Amino acid sequence: MTSLAENERESDEFDLIDAMIAALDDTTQGAGVVAGPGDDAAVLDLPPGHQLVVSTDTLIAGRHYPAGAAADVIGYRSMAAATSDLAAMGATPAWAMVSLTVARLTAAWAQRYAQGVAAAARAFGLAVVGGNVARGSENVTVTVHGHVPTARAMLRSGAKPGHVVYVTGTLGGARLALQDNGLSRCSLAELDADSPRRRYWKPEPRLAVGIGLRALASAAIDLSDGLSSDLEHLCRASGIACDVELARLPVYPGGDPMDAAAAGDDYELAFTAPPDSEHGIRALARETGVAITPIATARTGRPAAVHWFRDGLAIDVSPGYRHF
Amino acid sequence: MTSLAENERESDEFDLIDAMIAALDDTTQGAGVVAGPGDDAAVLDLPPGHQLVVSTDTLIAGRHYPAGAAADVIGYRSMAAATSDLAAMGATPAWAMVSLTVARLTAAWAQRYAQGVAAAARAFGLAVVGGNVARGSENVTVTVHGHVPTARAMLRSGAKPGHVVYVTGTLGGARLALQDNGLSRCSLAELDADSPRRRYWKPEPRLAVGIGLRALASAAIDLSDGLSSDLEHLCRASGIACDVELARLPVYPGGDPMDAAAAGDDYELAFTAPPDSEHGIRALARETGVAITPIATARTGRPAAVHWFRDGLAIDVSPGYRHF
């Protein structure tokens, strides 16, 4: 499969990887990293008494984000999307592997991409311990590793009838960004103030909330595809139903309640907790500075499902993002 | 980014994932699997006293394998390529995450792909604990996890002057398969007998050799890009040089010695060991049934590099596979 043209570029590949590793800077090191990038595999120390938590997420240009977007926001968002799954498990982030496929990788693009990855790694407490670089249609796959004290991971399957259903933060903000023609021209440095663009490119995995919920929640899931779709997964895994009134959703300012229900990309959490956790959940919201809103109460239901209402009338909510 | 057309296919995605999980059968379970596919992340138990070893590898249709190839051989080879990195570290395989991106995923393709993944998982002792499915240009990214007793992982950097350089198995067999016009039409069931096609689609990560080498070798690397390229990495990481005579390479029957030196895809190991390991290495070859051939002796050299010779005369060997 090797052509002469590829061989002529030989020096590029490893130079580019070196440039990326340089841009990753101190983020290739971190707690538990025995051997990071540069060998056949990373070697890592899991803290004693903890279980490993692993998730992987793929973002594709033109499908999961606008084609032609700046490399740093792609890097940041790809890390955030994967890390949000660790938040949903109540895991503490530890290590990331980054697989980058691009049609034409220049040193400038590679460095800027790595800067975005590094910014996310610092924000979330991840070390970037390895990855892969290949030429092809643009595709970013990030695998993240975290840990939880043994038997303390939150699953989707623990909700019971009578438990309260909550969501973190606000919903529908990232959807607003998709109406913005300048979305593909944003760079990471412009995203300091809260805005739909920031919600889209720089989502904040609810890590502190997730860790706090280990002692409080019965089930959790992250909202990547959209509340209507993801809460349905939680209900099916737990064998419960719930009735959600649109007016109870915490909608991003200026956002549409239907988008808050159906649109993806917010990377908030939905979770359930027994009623006696209410005080603890309020305290967790205060400690973390993240709004936590009760939106429904789980009930028995066959089939397990989410039922949607507007002003008390049953409505259809279009499902969230679908990959096929 | 969600279009109406995508929403109309909603029921497909999760049905396809269910079909793949069904085809994976018992391979979604295994030692240490607390929670496998189906939640936001996998939850895994690392054996006490062991370190985690992680590697990721991406294969792209038309670049790393022929476009239009059968789904089962793609699944098998993608698992083998990633697992070969665990062999090079001396790690015992444990868990895989599989990220599949394809332009058009049918239930038949998905099941056949998962059958190939499952066959490899059984052969290598991996549980498939999660992954991702997305629509886009064909790209398969596998992240594999294994473990080694603490501080026993083999790195590329431990070779010293005077150590002997070895390679496992034979080289150049996979390259022969690329001259075969029927390569893209092979299916896994046809690959029982040794053949270049089998070498290409069903490589055998040298796991048992790698585990045995932990007590014998000073450095190791897997041969994915080709000996000339990969041995160069080992020499640079260790700060050594070596002189390799083409006639000493174990060439696949009918293969070209230059291809054995330069071509990739064989997934054998190159490693170094002090001279007093020779007896143990011979015993390991007997126990595992894998040929192990000494090809050179490491020496001091600045810069660290591999020098190639044919019949005692210095020659250039084109580098192995390059991704850019």
Side-chain angles (χ1 to χ4, degrees), chain B residues 80-96:
Chain B
T83 303
S84 179
D85 286 318
L86 296 182
M89 306 298 284
T92 300
W95 314 297

Side-chain angles (χ1 to χ4, degrees), chain A residues 1-2 6-7 9-10 12-14 16 34-35 38-46 50-58 60 62-66 84-86 88-89 95 97-99 101-105 130-137 139 141 143 145 148 150 153-157 178 200 220-222 225 229 233 265 318-324, chain B residues 1-2 6-7 9-10 12-14 16 34-35 38-46 50-58 60 62-66 84-86 88-89 95 97-99 101-105 130-137 139 141 143 145 148 150 153-157 178 200 220-222 225 229 233 265 318-324:
Chain A
M1 313 291 284
T2 307
E6 281 158 23
N7 284 338
R9 302 187 198 202
E10 178 201 0
D12 291 16
E13 179 194 0
F14 296 105
L16 286 169
V34 179
D39 218 293
D40 285 50
V43 182
L44 305 162
D45 266 326
L46 192 69
H50 285 66
Q51 290 173 321
L52 180 67
V53 179
V54 188
S55 184
T56 194
D57 205 43
T58 295
I60 294 164
R63 175 157 301 277
H64 301 109
Y65 61 85
S84 179
D85 286 319
L86 296 182
M89 307 298 285
W95 314 297
M97 306 284 287
V98 176
S99 295
T101 303
V102 277
R104 187 171 158 71
L105 190 67
N132 194 86
V133 178
R135 190 163 50 168
S137 189
N139 177 311
T141 297
T143 303
H145 302 78
V148 287
T150 293
M154 290 188 289
L155 301 178
R156 299 177 179 179
S157 53
L178 292 177
Y200 184 84
I221 190 167
D222 91 309
D225 291 345
S229 169
H233 293 309
D265 295 329
S318 71
Y321 185 77
R322 290 291 173 258
H323 303 281
F324 281 90
Chain B
M1 312 292 285
T2 308
E6 281 158 23
N7 284 339
R9 302 187 199 202
E10 179 201 358
D12 290 16
E13 179 193 0
F14 295 105
L16 285 169
V34 180
D39 219 294
D40 285 53
V43 183
L44 305 162
D45 266 325
L46 193 69
H50 285 66
Q51 290 173 320
L52 181 67
V53 179
V54 188
S55 184
T56 195
D57 205 43
T58 295
I60 294 164
R63 175 156 302 276
H64 301 109
Y65 60 85
S84 179
D85 286 318
L86 296 182
M89 306 298 284
W95 314 297
M97 305 284 287
V98 176
S99 295
T101 303
V102 278
R104 187 173 156 69
L105 190 67
N132 194 86
V133 177
R135 190 165 48 170
S137 189
N139 177 311
T141 296
T143 303
H145 302 78
V148 287
T150 294
M154 290 190 288
L155 301 177
R156 297 177 179 178
S157 51
L178 292 177
Y200 184 82
I221 190 167
D222 91 308
D225 292 345
S229 169
H233 293 309
D265 297 326
S318 72
Y321 185 77
R322 290 292 172 258
H323 303 282
F324 282 90

Side-chain angles (χ1 to χ4, degrees), chain A residues 191-241:
Chain A
L191 299 174
D192 285 341
D194 189 19
S195 66
R197 287 183 179 191
R198 183 187 163 104
R199 295 281 299 169
Y200 184 84
W201 283 124
K202 247 187 125 173
E204 296 176 34
R206 298 305 187 185
L207 293 162
V209 173
I211 290 167
L213 286 177
R214 290 197 308 238
L216 297 164
S218 52
I221 190 167
D222 91 309
L223 302 181
S224 50
D225 291 345
L227 179 63
S228 62
S229 169
D230 292 319
L231 185 55
E232 187 95 11
H233 293 309
L234 186 152
C235 286
R236 287 185 195 171
S238 291
I240 56 153

